[in-house]
Amino acid sequence: MKNLLQSSLAKFLTIAGFALCACFSANAQTIDKDDSIYQGLGKKEGITKIVNDFVPMILADQRIAHFFSKIKKEEFSELLVAQFCELAGGPCQYKGRDMYESHQGMGISNAHFNALAEDLQMAMEKNDIPSSISNRLVAKLAPMQRPIVSK
């Protein structure tokens, strides 16, 4: 009888725990669905304009252009739009490879990563994105430095 009671109590606590987690998870998703960066970037149309300025900048940037010599410009641009859109809280879904897989063995340094970030900042400035918004997008991108930089 005691084991049955303990077993029932354990099942109840497990179910209650899952229910509690589900409530917190649902609330977290609501709270995390802040699309103010997405809105500040001009939604998908604005992000596309930024990327359309950004990609030619990185292809012309002698510090990093060699990393992009074999890309398919249109496909790369579409992936960037989706990635920026998703990170900014927009409705897009990035379906590209993860950052570690994409950059493994490329020998990317902090200087290369920073050059790319500078180009992105310039593309956003060119599109009149307020610094408060551009800084928030860069902050969302910053955690990618670790899986990208290898030296």
Side-chain angles (χ1 to χ4, degrees), residues 32-39 41 47 79-94 99 120 133 136-144:
D32 286 345
K33 194 57 185 161
D34 175 11
D35 71 346
S36 60
I37 300 171
Y38 176 71
Q39 296 292 330
L41 293 170
I47 293 169
L79 286 170
L80 281 177
V81 168
Q83 187 175 47
F84 292 169
C85 176
E86 180 178 57
L87 284 170
C92 309
Q93 185 178 15
Y94 173 72
M99 293 300 100
L120 177 57
I133 298 294
R136 289 174 60 204
L137 178 64
V138 170
K140 295 270 188 181
L141 294 166
M144 293 181 187

Side-chain angles (χ1 to χ4, degrees), residues 31-58:
I31 293 168
D32 286 345
K33 194 57 185 161
D34 175 11
D35 71 346
S36 60
I37 300 171
Y38 176 71
Q39 296 292 330
L41 293 170
K43 302 180 182 177
K44 189 170 180 182
E45 181 182 326
I47 293 169
T48 301
K49 288 178 184 178
I50 293 165
V51 168
N52 287 343
D53 289 328
F54 177 51
V55 171
M57 285 179 184
I58 61 177

Side-chain angles (χ1 to χ4, degrees), residues 7 27 54 96:
S7 176
N27 287 338
F54 177 51

Side-chain angles (χ1 to χ4, degrees), residues 2-17:
K2 185 178 178 181
N3 287 341
L4 181 61
L5 185 60
Q6 286 176 335
S7 176
S8 295
L9 181 60
K11 286 180 185 177
F12 171 77
L13 291 175
T14 301
I15 292 168

